[in-house]
Amino acid sequence: FSLVDYGCGKGRIVMLASAMRFSRAVGVEFSPELARVAEANVRRFVAAGGAPHVAEIVLGDAGAYDLPRGPVLAYLYNPFGPAVLREVIERLERKLEAGDEVLVAYVEPRHLELFEAGGRWEVVERCDEAALLRGRRQGFVNPFRLSPAAEG
């Protein structure tokens, strides 16, 4: 899995992801100042032995970011409003259509209804502060979901 932190701020989550040995850890940040701070932080973190590789920091619009190949865990700490979130969801859904696995960790999920609206996302876990979602790939059947007859 690659981890993509949308609105990565100073880079804490991508540093942790690089230490956890995700195949890639990418932070997408719109603010040039925060992106510079995040880049410096991830370099210091690797130099101190905190991770085997430097996480990538991308300065830019989250809605225009092209996701890495392969399975992705998208991390969202309520980084933006509904307009940009719709664009991000569209890009995540394109990965699903291509057959890739996509998970979303959405902290402080103020716009969870945008994921729920299209029927492409399953809420795996939820509490007041966060939701974990799994994208439904086309033709994908979840082997862990019981049939309605078995649940009854």
Side-chain angles (χ1 to χ4, degrees):
F1 271 86
S2 294
L3 178 126
V4 177
D5 179 5
Y6 287 98
C8 71
K10 296 179 181 179
R12 176 178 288 185
I13 296 301
V14 292
M15 287 186 288
L16 292 172
S18 64
M20 295 172 68
R21 303 188 193 275
F22 278 83
S23 61
R24 284 177 71 184
V26 181
V28 181
E29 180 53 57
F30 188 74
S31 163
E33 182 179 338
L34 286 174
R36 281 191 297 277
V37 170
E39 286 174 344
N41 285 342
V42 298
R43 283 193 304 275
R44 278 195 302 272
F45 187 64
V46 170
H53 59 86
V54 176
E56 301 167 50
I57 305 299
V58 175
L59 175 62
D61 177 0
Y65 174 68
D66 289 325
L67 290 152
R69 293 178 187 251
V72 168
L73 169 59
Y75 181 85
L76 303 157
Y77 196 118
N78 193 39
F80 28 68
V84 175
L85 183 57
R86 276 188 199 95
E87 293 173 3
V88 169
I89 291 170
E90 285 175 17
R91 290 200 175 254
L92 295 171
E93 289 179 350
R94 281 189 220 136
K95 283 197 68 64
L96 290 171
E97 290 166 7
D100 289 325
E101 187 170 3
V102 180
L103 301 173
V104 176
Y106 189 10
V107 181
E108 297 294 331
R110 294 197 180 111
H111 307 291
L112 191 59
E113 72 279 359
L114 297 178
F115 283 98
E116 297 171 329
R120 295 292 309 267
W121 299 92
E122 172 186 7
V123 176
V124 178
E125 292 290 333
R126 183 167 185 196
C127 63
D128 290 339
E129 298 85 22
L132 177 64
L133 300 105
R134 176 186 298 124
R136 295 185 175 112
R137 293 178 278 175
Q138 282 189 298
F140 176 74
V141 177
N142 184 346
F144 301 106
R145 168 158 260 138
L146 296 175
S147 68
E151 290 177 340

